[in-house]
Structures are given as structure tokens and as C-alpha cells.
């Protein structure tokens, strides 16, 4: 397995880096946060990403996509992570969009994917519940069969970019016990459906999330995604892919934090010399660099495994997420520490990385969760 980019992927990386440098900066992230922006990201910038074709990278050409691979997507996500862009890529493309592309009927794909890819339709996936932790099969939300379809009741938490979405994909139990893998079904609901309410949540990294409450919400038979009782098949696949995508974004974040820290070590002078000339700090910086490179190998291998449609995707997703969670936390901690007192202040941008690292660490499972999952997948 080659763990380097080819010429075309490198060109894509240059374009993405230029776009991020030109259109977004940590100043914009700060402004979105400080102004209490209603969405927490920019619809205009989302539209510009759509025009560049990024939203359709992994989707088939018949729906307006580019039909490219996950390695190409990784290149984009890493650059977005470098600039800490809060635009809803993981939620729209890797979670909800992917669920429709993988599990939807031809009619559902045709109805949703073109407007998702053009940036006009915003989607979210509501799969977590307050006591389900990281187990997507642990679903208490109930869907009762009626003469005309279904009635859903329950509560979903940590719904990434749920606030501001037009439609929300919800997991609900159609049979079986709470934690059974079987018996869970996915429903695509309009956010204006009677009985459905969305409450905005603020994360410490200022990203957009929500609580979705369902109080006897009606769903038609056509709103079911895939087969009744078989929602876990779709959900497991999209969560693994989203986890791997998030790892690419985290890789960008850790590289940016490392780069800002190296600049600081070379410019901050103490005792008449740059503090980076002291061995104590050089060794710590070298450790940060090694951790980013080990994380990069794991993230690239995981993306390539999706492109090869390998059975190893779940295991590689867990290796990548365990590595990236640990590495991003370590690197962002060290980055703040090495910046000294100024790094502790809100005025300095380095703090954004420690906040993002904390949230990303907890999203789709911590390092400990993924080490345990990897062991189980290997039969331990
Ligand atoms: C919330 C808060 C409360 C504080 N309260 C107090 C207080 O009550 N009293 C007080 O006196 N100060 C206080 N400080 C200041 C704090 O002690 C200094 O911020 C700290 O000493 C770091 O100094 P600096 O910011 O100049 O970092 P820098 O000197 O820029 O150092 C940056 C990094 O390099 C390391 N470093 C620097 N020189 C060397 C070297 N020669 N060898 C190896 N590593 C080196 C530092 O440990 C740090 O990791 C406070 C700071 C904060 C953020």
C-alpha cells in the first residue's frame, strides 16, 4: 500500500490549501464564535465548496458527484482541519449523505443527493442517545407501525450540525431490545414535521450540534431508508467512514498546531536566544512531529482501505481514531504549554486547537473505546 499522494491528489491539496488560506482564517472562526453566529458556519462558503465540486467528491456522477475516492476526500478534509473550518462536511457528506448513497433507494438518492451536492440541502444524522455512549445500536427511540406508516418518539443528542439542517435522518427501534443490533431502522424526516423539535447545543470548540426531540412524529413508508429492522447495516458503515474522515480533519489540526508552535519556538527569545534552541523543547517538538507522522500513516491507510472496499475498514478506522485522538490531544496540550503564558489566553489562536482536539477526541469514540473495539474485532 503506497502511503504517498499521486500528482493529481497533490494538485487537489494545493487548491484546497489555497482556498482555506484565502477564505478562512482563525480570525473568522473567532468572529463566528464571538458573534454567537446563529449557524456557527457560513452558508456562502459552503456554496463555494459545492462549486469546487468538493461536496460530491465521493458520490456517483449520475447524481452530480465526481465519483472519486476517499483518498481525494482526505486531502480536502485535512486542509479544512488545518484551518479549523466549521463547515458541516462530516455531518452532511460522510454521515447523512453517505447513508443515502449507501442505503437509499434509487428514488431517495435522486431526491436528495443532487441538492446535497449543490449545497442547497442540509442534512444531519441523529443516531446518538444520552445513555448510548458510542454504541449506535443502543437505541431507545421508538417507531410504532400505524395503518399509514410510522409514529416516532424519543430524544437524540450530539446531533452534529442538527441545528440549521433541512432534513434529519433518525435511528429508531422498530423491533427487538434496546441494545440489539437488529431491529433498528433509519427514517428521513423533515425538520418541520409536527412533533419534531431541535434545540441548539454549543460545543467547547463552538461547533454546531443539537438535541432532536420526537414527540409522536409521523413518517410515511417512503421515509424509511433501506430495509426495516436493518438500519445498523447502513449506520455501521457510515460511522466508520465518518470516523476516518474526522481523523483526516484531526490530522490537519495537529499539523497546524505543530507548525504554529515551531514558529513560536524559533521566534520567542529568552536568555538572548530563541527558546527552540534549548534541547528540552527540541525533544518535545520532535515527539510532536513523530506523532503526527504516525497518525498520518494510519489515516492514509484507512482511507485507502475504504477505496479498496476492504473488510478491514472497521479495524483501520479504530486504529486511526485511537492514534489521532491521542496525538491531537498530546500535540495541542504541548502547543499551549510551549507557548507559555500567552498560550493560556483567549487572545491567542493556539487555544482553538486544544478545544477542537477535546471535542474531536470524544466524537465517534475516544482512543480507549477504539482500542477496545480493535481488540474485539481481532477476536480478543
Ligand atoms: C493563568 C495564569 C496565571 C499566572 N499567575 C502567575 C503568578 O501568580 N505569578 C507569576 O509570577 N506568574 C504568573 N503567571 C505567568 C507564568 O508564570 C508565565 O506565563 C510562565 O512562567 C511562562 O512564561 P512565558 O509566558 O514568558 O513563556 P515563555 O518564556 O515564552 O516560555 C514558553 C515555553 O518555553 C519554555 N521555556 C522557556 N525558557 C526555557 C528554557 N530556558 N529551557 C527550557 N524551556 C524553556 C517554557 O516552560 C514554556 O513551555 C501566570 C500565567 C497564567 C497563564
Amino acid at each position: 500500500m503506497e502511503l504517498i499522494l499521486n500528482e493529481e491528489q497533490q494538485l487537489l491539496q494545493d487548491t484546497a490549501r489555497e482556498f482555506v488560506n484565502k477564505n478562512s482564517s482563525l480570525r473568522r472562526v473567532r468572529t463566528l464564535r464571538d458573534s454567537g453566529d446563529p449557524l456557527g458556519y457560513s452558508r456562502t462558503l459552503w456554496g463555494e465548496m459545492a462549486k469546487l465540486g468538493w461536496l460530491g467528491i465521493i458520490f456517483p456522477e449520475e447524481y452530480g458527484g465526481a465519483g472519486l475516492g476517499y483518498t481525494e476526500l482526505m486531502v480536502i478534509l485535512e486542509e479544512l482541519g488545518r484551518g479549523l473550518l466549521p463547515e458541516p462536511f462530516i455531518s452532511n457528506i460522510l454521515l447523512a449523505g453517505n447513508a443515502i448513497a449507501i442505503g437509499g433507494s434509487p428514488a431517495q438518492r435522486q431526491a436528495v443527493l443532487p441538492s446535497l451536492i449543490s449545497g442547497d440541502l442540509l442534512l444531519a444524522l441523529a443516531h446518538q442517545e444520552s445513555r448510548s455512549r458510542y454504541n449506535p445500536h443502543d437505541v431507545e427511540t421508538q417507531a410504532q407501525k400505524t395503518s399509514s406508516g410510522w409514529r416516532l418518539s424519543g430524544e437524540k443528542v450530539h446531533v452534529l450540525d442538527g441545528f440549521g439542517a433541512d432534513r434529519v435522518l433518525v435511528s429508531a427501534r422498530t423491533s427487538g431490545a434496546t441494545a440489539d443490533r437488529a431491529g433498528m431502522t433509519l427514517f428521513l424526516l423533515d425538520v418541520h414535521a409536527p412533533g419534531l423539535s431541535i434545540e441548539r447545543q454549543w460545543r467547547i470548540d463552538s461547533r454546531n450540534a443539537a438535541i432532536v426531540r420526537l414527540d409522536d412524529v409521523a413518517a410515511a413508508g417512503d421515509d424509511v431508508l433501506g430495509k426495516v429492522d436493518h438500519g445498523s447495516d447502513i449506520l455501521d458503515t457510515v460511522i466508520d467512514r465518518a470516523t476516518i474522515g474526522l481523523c483526516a480533519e484531526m490530522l490537519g489540526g495537529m499539523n497546524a498546531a505543530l507548525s504554529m508552535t515551531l514558529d513560536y519556538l524559533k521566534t520567542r527569545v529568552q536568555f538572548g536566544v530563541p527558546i527552540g534552541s534549548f534541547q528540552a523543547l527540541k525533544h518535545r517538538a520532535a515527539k510532536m512531529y513523530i506523532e503526527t507522522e504516525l497518525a498520518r500513516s494510519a489515516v492514509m491507510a484507512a482511507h485507502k482501505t475504504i477505496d479498496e472496499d476492504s473488510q478491514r475498514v472497521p479495524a483501520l478506522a479504530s486504529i486511526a481514531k485511537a492514534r489521532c485522538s491521542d496525538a491531537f490531544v498530546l500535540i495541542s496540550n504541548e502547543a499551549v504549554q510551549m507557548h507559555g503564558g500567552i498560550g493560556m489566553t483567549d487572545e491567542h489562536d493556539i487555544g482553538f486547537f486544544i478545544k477542537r482536539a477535546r471535542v474531536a477526541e470524544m466524537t465517534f469514540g475516544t482512543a480507549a473505546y477504539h482500542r477496545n473495539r480493535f481488540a474485539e474485532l481481532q477476536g480478543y
Side-chain angles (χ1 to χ4, degrees):
M1 183 184 284
E2 270 193 22
L3 293 181
I4 49 168
L5 299 180
N6 64 30
E7 209 173 310
E8 276 166 29
Q9 290 159 351
Q10 257 161 16
L11 269 174
L12 191 62
Q13 185 178 57
D14 293 343
T15 313
R17 192 163 296 183
E18 205 178 303
F19 175 88
V20 170
N21 288 342
K22 186 168 145 241
N23 292 292
S24 188
S25 66
L26 294 174
R27 203 177 320 124
R28 182 179 76 99
V29 174
R30 184 181 291 281
T31 307
L32 284 168
R33 182 197 69 176
D34 293 349
S35 65
D37 186 88
L39 264 186
Y41 61 83
S42 157
R43 283 291 300 250
T44 310
L45 208 59
W46 187 241
E48 286 174 29
M49 290 184 196
K51 284 196 194 108
L52 284 165
W54 293 355
L55 310 192
I57 276 196
I58 52 170
F59 297 128
E61 288 173 76
E62 58 184 307
Y63 303 113
L68 291 170
Y70 278 77
T71 310
E72 283 77 14
L73 182 71
M74 175 192 162
V75 168
I76 307 279
L77 287 170
E78 188 184 340
E79 294 310 315
L80 300 184
R82 203 180 284 275
L84 293 182
L85 266 74
E87 275 60 38
F89 224 101
I90 305 274
S91 53
N92 274 272
I93 309 304
L94 284 163
L95 287 174
N98 238 344
I100 287 158
I102 291 166
S105 64
Q108 284 169 329
R109 287 183 204 161
Q110 197 57 59
V112 174
L113 291 180
S115 43
L116 177 78
I117 292 169
S118 67
D120 297 319
L121 181 77
L122 291 172
L123 298 179
L125 174 69
H127 68 282
Q128 288 193 84
E129 301 191 359
S130 57
R131 50 166 296 284
S132 65
R133 199 79 182 149
Y134 301 121
N135 180 0
H137 312 141
D138 197 339
V139 170
E140 280 184 351
T141 296
Q142 293 289 325
Q144 303 285 351
K145 189 101 184 80
T146 65
S147 55
S148 57
W150 302 86
R151 291 250 160 212
L152 280 77
S153 288
E155 184 176 287
K156 298 286 175 179
V157 298
H158 306 304
V159 181
L160 301 182
D161 303 305
F163 191 81
D166 302 304
R167 302 184 81 182
V168 59
L169 201 53
V170 174
S171 61
R173 190 143 292 286
T174 36
S175 69
T178 305
D180 287 353
R181 186 178 186 278
M184 190 272 284
T185 305
L186 292 170
F187 294 85
L188 185 58
L189 305 175
D190 192 285
V191 293
H192 301 298
L196 194 152
S197 64
I198 295 186
E199 180 190 329
R200 183 174 187 180
Q201 284 182 308
W202 287 93
R203 294 286 174 84
I204 54 162
D205 63 349
S206 317
R207 294 257 179 135
N208 184 339
I211 298 174
V212 173
R213 295 193 177 88
L214 304 142
D215 183 11
D216 213 21
V217 177
D222 288 355
D223 297 329
V224 170
L225 193 77
K227 286 194 209 139
V228 171
D229 287 344
H230 289 273
S232 297
D233 298 344
I234 305 170
L235 207 50
D236 288 350
T237 306
V238 302
I239 291 174
D240 272 336
R241 292 180 183 203
T243 303
I244 293 170
L246 175 64
C247 287
E249 211 203 272
M250 293 167 83
L251 187 62
M254 61 184 98
N255 266 295
L258 172 61
S259 156
M260 280 173 77
T261 307
L262 293 182
D263 283 349
Y264 191 74
L265 294 183
K266 287 175 193 161
T267 49
R268 173 76 163 109
V269 173
Q270 283 277 36
F271 311 114
V273 289
I275 58 171
S277 66
F278 295 116
Q279 206 176 40
L281 296 190
K282 275 187 195 165
H283 284 179
R284 283 163 66 177
K287 165 92 175 140
M288 290 162 79
Y289 174 74
I290 291 165
E291 289 300 324
T292 59
E293 287 306 299
L294 290 173
R296 176 175 300 284
S297 300
V299 175
M300 284 190 90
H303 279 81
K304 284 186 190 273
T305 310
I306 308 178
D307 286 334
E308 288 158 6
D309 206 12
S310 159
Q311 299 292 316
R312 299 195 66 225
V313 172
L316 278 251
S318 282
I319 292 176
K321 186 60 169 56
R323 272 240 161 252
C324 286
S325 293
D326 282 346
F328 200 7
V329 167
L330 171 91
I331 288 161
S332 57
N333 280 358
E334 286 288 77
V336 169
Q337 184 75 36
M338 288 200 226
H339 273 78
I342 191 73
M344 295 291 293
T345 65
D346 187 60
E347 283 74 16
H348 201 284
D349 287 341
I350 198 70
F352 284 119
F353 291 93
I354 209 168
K355 290 178 181 134
R356 180 63 193 146
R358 288 303 183 281
V359 174
E361 177 201 11
M362 304 291 284
T363 305
F364 306 137
T366 57
Y369 168 84
H370 278 286
R371 274 194 289 270
N372 185 56
R373 180 174 181 255
F374 176 80
E376 282 175 2
L377 286 166
Q378 303 310 303
Y380 288 109

